[in-house]
Amino acid sequence: MAAANHSLSSPYSCAKDSGPVIPTTSLVTFLERIQETAFQTYERSKFDHKDFIDLSLKFDLSTTVKAFDEISKTENGSVSTKDFEEFIGKWFKSAGEDLVYVEPMDFETEPHGFLPKVENPEVRTWALEVHGLWKKLSREVSSSVHDHPELHTLLPLPVPGMIPGSRFREVYYWDSYWVIRGLLASKMHETAKAIVTNLISWLDTYGYVLNGARAYYTNRSQPPLLSAMVYEIYNRTGDVDLVKKALPALLKEYQFWNSEIHAMIIHDAENCNHSLNRYYAMWNKPRPEASAIDKRFASKFLNVSEKQKFYRELASTAESGWDFSTRWMRNPSEFTSLSTTTILPVDLNAFILRMELDIAFFAKIVGEDVISEDFLTASHTRKKALNSVFWNENMGQWVDYWLNYGAEPKACVSKGPKEPQTWEAQNQNQNVFASNFVPLWIDLFNSDTPLVEKVTRNLQSSGLLCAAGIATSLINSGHQWDFPNGWAPIQHMIVEGLWRSASTEARKVARDIAERWIRANYVAYKKTGTMHEKYNVEKCGEYGAGGIYRPQTGFGWSNGVVLTFLEEFGWPKDQNIDCN
């Protein structure tokens, strides 16, 4: 690929930050003030910014605001701990009170046919405990949210769902894919379908799937995996009605991801045009769930437009699910160099390729042959684009593509506001990230045995493979989506891609990674009594750290991936489960 010969087009205007902004609610705006006061009042180590934006009101907003304005405050905005806690107790319900525990409709203590390949009694006992965690994570929205939505940042949902756990006390988008995979291993098909129902309801209401079920998440989505969820449920149940229900929503989601803000055109060295996609949040202010912290990071910028650009980068990185990582930073040592909106991510484009293949499949099932053919054609076009733009032959992997940061679009004057403007391309990001191997998850790539074997060799020599799984990157930055953290979704996509291939070596590597990950989860569970959101892949049995919040437990996607791996690979009776 001749990177220097590439140019890009993007249909937003020449202004530095002219993208869309989805309005927030008055309650969210007020809760940001509460969060800022908490930030001033408490020691940082005792402060979780999200707890205060998730509060719900006991009384109407105007009365609560008036009472808050009357509290005595210092010049820096802090109040005494006693006064602040008395105010919170009097005027608010605790974060999470607007979600109610509900018994999953199809939970059984030991489902018939559960994990038949797990022969080791120790591992089977643990797997049943992980299965039992679905009961702890099942929630429905309280009647108060439906009756008085103005008192809550939580959004109403039509049916019960599964939360990730701990501070993530609401439904999230891309987490739900791996939750569903685990629910299917647990034979909880109806609960899995209910999750899809909730996500479809957002498409009906907003035109896209939200990051999560909060009013402050309406300005962005997350990696688009709804079609993959529907596919996995259909593959287990044969539920054609679900496919019929989902197809119009998936077409709407596809349109969203190929709208002006997310779609770009790249011209390759052979003068071919490729339509590709990026993350781009509809927001240019501090993220409400982390407002106090975002403002402090942005304080280094001197003017409003620079701050707005940085805030959009923060929200766009959150849309990626990888918040935060040096993957999105022009300068790995400087957090404020985030430039996610000027990066074409290889994994996002693989997910959209997966969406095209799934929609083609679903359309065929329900007799929409024209739609099926159109999306099959689109999938082959995108595969060509992935090979042309993202594939790096020397590295033997796909890598993100960078635009020229900070450059103005060319020919701004001659273009209309809705027409693509040509941008200056830069190059491939040749740093090694686990996302470079995610295209293996897509059948159009894992069916190519010579390609899989090349990529497998490069994965093995990449430095990402560690004692307890695949590291997210090679850079130990202190950010949670960097070394030495490993995350369940990454392990699963790469392992499943390798395992689905016809390559004996790739399948061997897949099994080895899965066994390392299962061990790490098991030992950490035995030590702590919980499943964790991320793990330290350098040390078997150690959970991960880093980021702007404490490591969380629960944990939806970790539970789902462990159950999925145990269903696929099993665990022999005489095989040791402890760390080697």
Side-chain angles (χ1 to χ4, degrees):
M1 184 184 88
N5 292 331
H6 285 213
S7 61
L8 301 209
S9 299
S10 173
Y12 59 85
S13 92
C14 301
K16 282 291 188 182
D17 189 81
S18 58
V21 175
I22 300 294
T24 190
T25 67
S26 299
L27 175 57
V28 170
T29 301
F30 172 59
L31 290 173
E32 288 184 77
R33 291 180 61 196
I34 299 295
Q35 182 195 95
E36 182 67 34
T37 304
F39 194 91
Q40 297 285 0
T41 301
Y42 292 121
E43 295 177 28
R44 175 68 186 274
S45 61
K46 298 179 180 178
F47 175 84
D48 188 335
H49 40 272
K50 189 175 183 297
D51 288 345
F52 295 92
I53 209 76
D54 289 353
L55 296 171
S56 54
L57 300 178
K58 290 181 179 179
F59 310 101
D60 68 86
L61 178 59
S62 61
T63 305
T64 309
V65 171
K66 184 174 183 293
F68 181 67
D69 289 340
E70 292 172 354
I71 297 177
S72 176
K73 302 179 182 68
T74 65
E75 285 187 8
N76 74 351
S78 67
V79 301
S80 72
T81 303
K82 178 176 178 294
D83 287 350
F84 186 68
E85 290 180 348
E86 285 181 355
F87 174 79
I88 295 295
K90 179 178 180 179
W91 294 92
F92 294 96
K93 295 179 181 178
S94 298
E97 274 194 40
D98 42 13
L99 282 154
V100 181
Y101 169 77
V102 60
E103 182 87 12
M105 66 187 83
D106 48 2
F107 178 85
E108 295 179 15
T109 304
E110 184 166 1
H112 177 71
F114 180 68
L115 305 186
K117 298 178 184 177
V118 178
E119 300 168 348
N120 184 304
E122 197 177 356
V123 178
R124 186 165 192 83
T125 298
W126 170 57
L128 284 167
E129 291 181 25
V130 174
H131 162 73
L133 295 174
W134 298 132
K135 287 185 70 174
K136 295 185 177 181
L137 297 176
S138 179
R139 298 287 190 280
E140 67 179 353
V141 173
S142 72
S143 58
S144 175
V145 177
H146 292 281
D147 297 339
H148 301 285
E150 75 280 1
L151 303 180
H152 304 266
T153 61
L154 187 70
L155 297 174
L157 291 170
V159 292
M162 287 284 168
I163 64 170
S166 295
R167 77 195 290 269
F168 300 109
R169 51 181 71 92
E170 54 280 312
V171 169
Y172 282 79
Y173 182 8
W174 82 313
D175 295 64
S176 294
Y177 173 78
W178 290 280
V179 169
I180 283 174
R181 291 297 298 263
L183 289 170
L184 294 175
S186 290
K187 314 298 182 183
M188 296 172 66
H189 300 160
E190 296 307 311
T191 299
K193 291 177 191 177
I195 292 173
V196 168
T197 296
N198 283 331
L199 301 186
I200 288 175
S201 76
W202 286 340
L203 277 159
D204 293 339
T205 303
Y206 301 97
Y208 48 95
V209 184
L210 308 185
N211 184 144
R214 291 279 174 184
Y216 52 77
Y217 285 146
T218 59
N219 54 52
R220 62 182 188 255
S221 187
Q222 266 193 332
L225 294 173
L226 179 58
S227 73
M229 300 179 207
V230 176
Y231 178 87
E232 295 299 339
I233 295 171
Y234 175 81
N235 200 33
R236 296 287 185 115
T237 66
D239 189 339
V240 176
D241 287 338
L242 178 67
V243 172
K244 289 179 179 177
K245 176 182 175 182
L247 183 57
L250 292 173
L251 292 171
K252 191 178 294 185
E253 183 175 39
Y254 186 77
Q255 184 177 18
F256 169 73
W257 281 102
N258 286 283
S259 65
E260 291 178 5
I261 60 172
H262 290 117
M264 310 190 89
I265 298 169
I266 186 165
H267 311 284
D268 69 14
E270 284 74 42
N271 204 30
C272 294
N273 290 347
H274 303 289
S275 181
L276 293 165
N277 305 78
R278 62 170 175 172
Y279 293 109
Y280 193 90
M282 297 169 285
W283 193 242
N284 64 357
K285 301 178 181 71
R287 295 167 300 146
E289 74 276 15
S291 176
I293 293 174
D294 287 1
K295 287 177 183 176
R296 279 148 185 83
F297 280 120
S299 63
K300 70 166 286 182
F301 297 109
L302 300 179
N303 61 60
V304 172
S305 64
E306 287 180 330
K307 291 180 189 290
Q308 288 179 335
K309 185 181 187 311
F310 175 63
Y311 290 142
R312 195 180 294 278
E313 297 300 341
L314 283 167
S316 300
T317 310
E319 184 172 66
S320 80
W322 282 52
D323 46 338
F324 290 96
S325 168
T326 53
R327 179 184 176 194
W328 312 114
M329 299 173 197
R330 296 287 169 165
N331 177 358
S333 62
E334 178 50 67
F335 184 66
T336 56
S337 71
L338 282 171
S339 53
T340 308
T341 64
T342 60
I343 295 170
L344 300 179
V346 64
D347 48 356
L348 171 61
N349 285 278
F351 296 148
I352 296 175
L353 171 58
R354 170 77 193 257
M355 192 194 306
E356 289 165 343
L357 291 166
D358 290 338
I359 290 175
F361 177 71
F362 298 147
K364 192 73 173 175
I365 288 172
V366 301
E368 294 283 358
D369 291 345
V370 173
I371 294 175
S372 181
E373 287 299 320
D374 285 348
F375 275 86
L376 200 58
T377 300
S379 71
H380 289 293
T381 301
R382 188 172 297 271
K383 179 189 176 184
K384 181 180 178 183
L386 277 155
N387 286 334
S388 172
V389 177
F390 298 109
W391 176 252
N392 186 298
E393 181 65 25
N394 293 331
M395 295 174 69
Q397 53 197 269
W398 300 265
V399 295
D400 294 337
Y401 195 83
W402 285 2
L403 286 67
N404 188 8
Y405 176 74
E408 296 284 358
K410 297 177 182 178
C412 287
V413 176
S414 64
K415 301 267 186 176
K418 295 293 184 182
E419 297 177 50
Q421 291 130 6
T422 301
W423 285 66
E424 186 178 339
Q426 188 169 345
N427 53 36
Q428 293 180 330
N429 180 357
Q430 297 190 16
N431 290 326
V432 175
F433 297 97
S435 49
N436 296 4
F437 299 91
V438 165
L440 282 174
W441 192 48
I442 310 302
D443 288 344
L444 286 181
F445 294 113
N446 63 45
S447 58
D448 183 339
T449 302
L451 174 68
V452 170
E453 290 179 342
K454 180 180 180 69
V455 175
T456 301
R457 289 192 298 271
N458 284 284
L459 174 63
Q460 289 176 294
S461 62
S462 67
L464 293 174
L465 291 187
C466 298
I470 304 169
T472 314
S473 80
L474 300 180
I475 302 170
N476 192 340
S477 67
H479 297 293
Q480 63 174 353
W481 285 84
D482 275 323
F483 188 88
N485 286 339
W487 294 78
I490 298 298
Q491 318 301 314
H492 177 257
M493 287 185 285
I494 295 175
V495 165
E496 189 161 81
L498 294 169
W499 185 249
R500 285 178 173 174
S501 76
S503 166
T504 302
E505 179 59 26
R507 288 170 62 84
K508 181 181 176 182
V509 171
R511 180 182 288 276
D512 178 60
I513 296 168
E515 289 179 357
R516 294 184 195 197
W517 187 253
I518 291 168
R519 279 197 173 94
N521 282 244
Y522 173 83
V523 174
Y525 183 89
K526 288 299 177 182
K527 287 197 295 187
T528 65
T530 58
M531 295 289 287
H532 298 267
E533 64 167 345
K534 55 184 179 280
Y535 293 85
N536 181 339
V537 294
E538 276 196 304
K539 302 173 183 177
C540 178
E542 298 290 329
Y543 60 85
I548 62 173
Y549 60 83
R550 294 177 182 176
Q552 301 297 296
T553 59
F555 196 85
W557 62 19
S558 298
N559 307 344
V561 170
V562 158
L563 293 174
T564 301
F565 280 171
L566 288 172
E567 182 179 49
E568 183 62 58
F569 298 102
W571 203 271
K573 188 173 184 179
D574 57 352
Q575 183 170 325
N576 178 39
I577 184 61
D578 292 318
C579 293
N580 293 329

